[in-house]
Amino acid sequence: VTYANQKLVEVSKYTMQEILGKGHNLFRHPDMPKELFKLMWDTIKSGKVFSGIVKNKAKDGSHYWVDATIVPIKDENGTVYKYIGARYHIKEDYLAESLYEAQAKRLGLPPLGKRA
């Protein structure tokens, strides 16, 4: 993480100092399948935009949901050299879970609560 706004600090319950310089795995919730993150990385590394519903883990162990869009940024040669992520905080669990389940079905991922 090279940049974070105050909203991320508020929602994640980490300080700015705890976020900057860390990997995104800092926020990874155990409910999210590895296949979702593989798809995300494969998509953005190939130069395409990734959009998805993700359950994240806050510093205190609680969770929060985001509708994430991650855009790869390319240099003049077309090489991806960084990513910009914009996330919208979904405050209602029932809505986020419904959106996630539709996404999981569409992408062939397991539903929530059915992780191996």
Side-chain angles (χ1 to χ4, degrees), residues 73-92:
I73 306 301
K74 301 175 187 178
D75 64 17
E76 60 279 353
N77 298 318
T79 302
V80 175
Y81 71 97
K82 71 176 178 177
Y83 308 99
I84 296 178
R87 292 160 178 88
Y88 174 78
H89 180 207
I90 304 171
K91 295 178 182 180
E92 297 83 13

Side-chain angles (χ1 to χ4, degrees), residues 5-95:
N5 61 24
Q6 273 310 119
K7 183 66 174 182
L8 178 59
V9 169
E10 172 191 324
V11 173
S12 72
K13 302 176 184 170
Y14 285 98
T15 66
M16 187 68 72
Q17 294 76 21
E18 291 172 313
I19 294 171
L20 294 178
K22 300 296 188 299
H24 189 266
N25 278 344
L26 179 68
F27 309 110
R28 184 164 180 193
H29 195 282
D31 284 354
M32 291 290 92
K34 294 175 188 171
E35 297 91 343
L36 177 63
F37 293 102
K38 180 178 181 346
L39 174 64
M40 178 194 75
W41 282 109
D42 288 350
T43 300
I44 61 178
K45 284 180 178 179
S46 73
K48 298 176 186 162
V49 175
F50 172 84
S51 292
I53 306 300
V54 180
K55 184 177 185 180
N56 284 334
K57 183 175 71 172
K59 181 179 179 178
D60 66 0
S62 63
H63 71 271
Y64 62 98
W65 287 93
V66 295
D67 182 351
T69 299
I70 304 169
V71 179
I73 306 301
K74 301 175 187 178
D75 64 17
E76 60 279 353
N77 298 318
T79 302
V80 175
Y81 71 97
K82 71 176 178 177
Y83 308 99
I84 296 178
R87 292 160 178 88
Y88 174 78
H89 180 207
I90 304 171
K91 295 178 182 180
E92 297 83 13
D93 276 350
Y94 72 91
L95 175 60

